[in-house]
Amino acid sequence: IWRDGKEHRMDFNHGLPQNSTIEIINGVECTPIKVVGESDRQGTRVQFWPDATIFSTIEFQYDVLARRIRELSFLNNGVRIRLTDERTGKEEIFAYEGGTRGFVEYINRGKSVLHPTIFQATGERISELNTPIYVDISMQWNDSYNEQVLCFTNNIPQRDGGTHLTGFKTTFTQVINSYARELGILKEKDANFTGADIRNGMTAIVSIKHPDPRFEGQTKTKLDNPDASKATGKVVGEEIVRFFDRNLETLKNVIGCAEKAAKIRKTEE
């Protein structure tokens, strides 16, 4: 670590600090990080060798790393990350712009999108700890008739979704059904569109920054904070209404996709 004109260093082997002294601070055994020199640099460098006794494979796959770094670049707008494979000399710079909006645009590249403008909702709501939850959601429809919604909490992906996804889905489904009835597309006798109907052809990124995230299981594949549902629901609910009021044709395209999906679903029931 380079900070405050000093270079700090700490080494570990199998989880244990190396070449360090143990001190008792407030009754607790600690191993303070060492100052090993002076420097005018700023930043942090982490180097490690994977342990074959812990990991099932210790061979790095370039494509896997590139995919994850690309995600981080989109989720942290303005960050520049360089990935170098010294085995082959292959190198890439990841410095994507646009945040979640750019992420959606990247996923939909080469696809036929149903509307040119990508919807993006950003905002914050207060958590149960009285600290802010930051919400960033973007989405766009294409003609693939497949739903692709990716969820992240503090840059960590949740492949099984969780409360932030639930809040987004619930609110968005309510809004679209309300519009469909207001426009006369759904009649009084008609059942509402299902969430799956409405998300037909949707590409979306749901990203939040939470001060105290709780997950189901060690792999963090599902978020469990109730306040995350409220935060995503509130932010997307307010912003999507403003967006569709200014983009009526986009709204009609989205409802049209839901109509087609509903008809297909009913014929298969």
Side-chain angles (χ1 to χ4, degrees):
I1 299 173
W2 297 279
R3 180 176 177 180
D4 299 329
K6 304 291 184 181
E7 179 178 335
H8 308 75
R9 181 184 177 100
M10 198 166 197
D11 296 278
F12 296 85
N13 187 8
H14 294 86
L16 300 176
Q18 303 296 300
N19 305 317
S20 299
T21 57
I22 297 177
E23 299 180 10
I24 305 298
I25 301 177
N26 296 327
V28 179
E29 288 189 353
C30 301
T31 305
I33 191 168
K34 285 183 176 180
V35 175
V36 295
E38 297 185 354
S39 176
D40 57 0
R41 295 179 62 180
Q42 295 286 331
T44 302
R45 181 172 66 195
V46 178
Q47 296 175 291
F48 74 96
W49 290 104
D51 189 339
T53 65
I54 297 175
F55 297 99
S56 58
T57 176
I58 60 172
E59 183 177 352
F60 290 99
Q61 298 180 39
Y62 185 92
D63 291 342
V64 173
L65 292 172
R67 182 170 62 249
R68 178 57 179 148
I69 291 172
R70 184 177 293 109
E71 289 178 351
L72 293 172
S73 177
F74 278 122
L75 295 171
N76 300 275
N77 198 26
V79 170
R80 181 178 181 271
I81 306 172
R82 182 175 63 189
L83 173 63
T84 303
D85 189 341
E86 295 182 349
R87 299 167 299 185
T88 64
K90 185 176 182 179
E91 180 175 292
E92 285 183 84
I93 302 294
F94 298 87
Y96 291 101
E97 298 293 337
T100 60
R101 183 195 298 266
F103 203 165
V104 168
E105 183 178 14
Y106 177 83
I107 294 173
N108 277 345
R109 71 196 187 285
K111 298 178 182 178
S112 180
V113 297
L114 301 183
H115 53 99
T117 304
I118 297 173
F119 165 78
Q120 184 176 27
T122 60
E124 62 180 69
R125 291 295 181 272
I126 299 302
S127 72
E128 294 172 344
L129 301 175
N130 204 34
T131 52
I133 301 172
Y134 298 98
V135 178
D136 186 357
I137 298 173
S138 292
M139 54 185 157
Q140 185 182 42
W141 276 255
N142 59 66
D143 64 355
S144 67
Y145 298 103
N146 292 316
E147 171 189 343
Q148 185 174 8
V149 181
L150 303 180
C151 299
F152 300 87
T153 302
N154 299 354
N155 296 329
I156 302 169
Q158 285 79 56
R159 71 163 181 253
D160 297 327
T163 48
H164 49 350
L165 179 60
T166 299
F168 162 68
K169 285 183 174 180
T170 301
T171 300
F172 191 70
T173 300
Q174 292 171 347
V175 169
I176 294 300
N177 277 308
S178 177
Y179 270 119
R181 294 196 179 280
E182 184 181 322
L183 295 172
I185 297 170
L186 285 178
K187 309 301 181 184
E188 185 176 346
K189 61 181 176 60
D190 294 331
N192 280 341
F193 296 127
T194 66
D197 293 337
I198 292 168
R199 295 189 302 275
N200 178 50
M202 172 195 282
T203 297
I205 305 296
V206 178
S207 175
I208 71 168
K209 298 292 193 297
H210 197 289
D212 185 30
R214 298 191 300 272
F215 302 97
E216 294 183 12
Q218 292 296 317
T219 54
K220 301 182 180 181
T221 57
K222 191 172 185 179
L223 186 67
D224 196 34
N225 297 74
D227 54 4
S229 178
K230 296 177 183 177
T232 55
K234 282 285 188 182
V235 170
V236 78
E238 293 171 2
E239 294 298 325
I240 198 65
V241 170
R242 283 194 279 267
F243 176 78
F244 281 142
D245 284 347
R246 297 193 301 266
N247 297 273
L248 186 58
E249 288 304 313
T250 298
L251 171 62
K252 291 179 179 178
N253 284 335
V254 170
I255 295 177
C257 286
E259 281 188 288
K260 291 177 183 177
K263 288 178 182 177
I264 294 171
R265 171 176 53 81
K266 290 173 182 177
T267 59
E268 294 176 347
E269 289 177 350

